[in-house]
Amino acid sequence: MRPADLAREHGISTQAVRNYEQDGFLPPAARTPSGYRVYTEVHASALRAFLALVPAYGHATAGGIMHAVHGDDLGRALTLVDRGHEQLLRDRETLNSVRTAIGDLTSGAPEPTATAWPIGDLAHRLGLTAATIRAWERAGILTPSRDPATGYRVFRAADIRDAELTHLLRRGGYPLAHIATVVGQVRTAGGTESLVDAMETWQERLNARGVAMLTAAGVLGEYLRSRP
């Protein structure tokens, strides 16, 4: 096979095929006496595997898997695959945590009427100590502003929402690092209402990644069986 033969199957350039070989994603190709690359069905299978791994695990991890296979370190390759599935499971758990917490928030206590709360008032609202609120801030979960005159923390509506969400998740037994991810998703989405609208897209992306992992597993298995 020529580089063009491999490239044509996937609609990529011949230079991309050569780059993938140079980067170690394909096994080294033999050369003709005049220096032209000669590929085999094994190379074609490797290219299929790499291109299937990219949407499932990302370019870097896909490359790492292929490097491990070509280095005869199957254990390392499978560990990278396992870590990808583990990350997908954590992402699903995060999504479920957000759904539960958002549901509790929207059906719970009414929104506070004050535009800005000191830390003591927020702690009282949640039935916690000010030290706990400060610990959440140190963990990067809460980001209150400061009163320019006094330097005291000021918690506005979004900060209070984040604190209530954190309190719900802590009662559910989630660690602070996990909660920081969830609250970050809420903050990025611009609030609970925006996040509710975005969760369907989030779920679709997770499902697409899961299906891509299933597809990649089959293609990678075929490549492993094709290798000498």
Side-chain angles (χ1 to χ4, degrees):
M1 292 179 168
R2 302 166 302 165
D5 298 324
L6 272 67
R8 189 179 304 111
E9 178 182 349
H10 304 285
I12 59 179
S13 68
T14 56
Q15 185 59 50
V17 175
R18 290 190 288 266
N19 290 344
Y20 291 154
E21 180 197 348
Q22 182 178 344
D23 292 338
F25 305 152
L26 309 183
R31 298 274 185 156
T32 67
S34 56
Y36 290 106
R37 290 175 173 84
V38 177
Y39 293 115
T40 67
E41 180 55 38
V42 172
H43 295 90
S45 182
L47 181 59
R48 294 185 197 110
F50 172 69
L51 293 178
L53 288 166
V54 170
Y57 301 96
H59 190 277
T61 299
I65 292 170
M66 299 305 289
H67 284 159
V69 169
H70 296 148
D72 292 326
D73 191 350
L74 183 59
R76 169 66 177 166
L78 295 178
T79 296
L80 291 172
V81 170
D82 292 342
R83 286 177 180 168
H85 285 275
E86 183 181 23
Q87 181 62 57
L88 179 62
L89 178 60
R90 287 199 299 268
D91 290 346
R92 289 191 186 281
E93 290 173 344
T94 297
L95 176 59
N96 290 334
S97 300
V98 171
R99 280 198 176 116
T100 300
I102 295 303
D104 289 343
L105 280 179
T106 55
S107 63
E111 292 293 321
T113 56
T115 57
W117 289 30
I119 191 170
D121 290 352
L122 177 59
H124 178 73
R125 174 184 174 91
L126 300 178
L128 301 171
T129 65
T132 298
I133 304 297
R134 287 192 289 268
W136 293 352
E137 182 182 358
R138 288 194 299 271
I141 299 172
L142 303 181
T143 57
S145 57
R146 296 275 181 163
D147 187 309
T150 64
Y152 293 152
R153 294 171 178 82
V154 175
F155 295 85
R156 305 191 185 280
D159 303 312
I160 297 169
R161 176 206 65 210
D162 294 345
E164 291 178 333
L165 178 56
T166 300
H167 190 32
L168 285 168
L169 294 173
R170 284 299 282 167
R171 291 207 306 267
Y174 291 98
L176 292 180
H178 181 85
I179 294 172
T181 301
V182 175
V183 173
Q185 291 284 351
V186 175
R187 193 177 295 127
T188 300
T192 56
E193 292 183 3
S194 298
L195 187 60
V196 168
D197 295 335
M199 279 194 293
E200 188 64 31
T201 300
W202 189 1
Q203 179 70 69
E204 290 173 359
R205 290 177 179 173
L206 293 180
N207 289 342
R209 200 195 320 166
V211 172
M213 286 180 177
L214 293 176
T215 301
V219 180
L220 179 61
E222 291 179 2
Y223 173 53
L224 293 176
R225 288 188 293 272
S226 74
R227 298 184 73 232

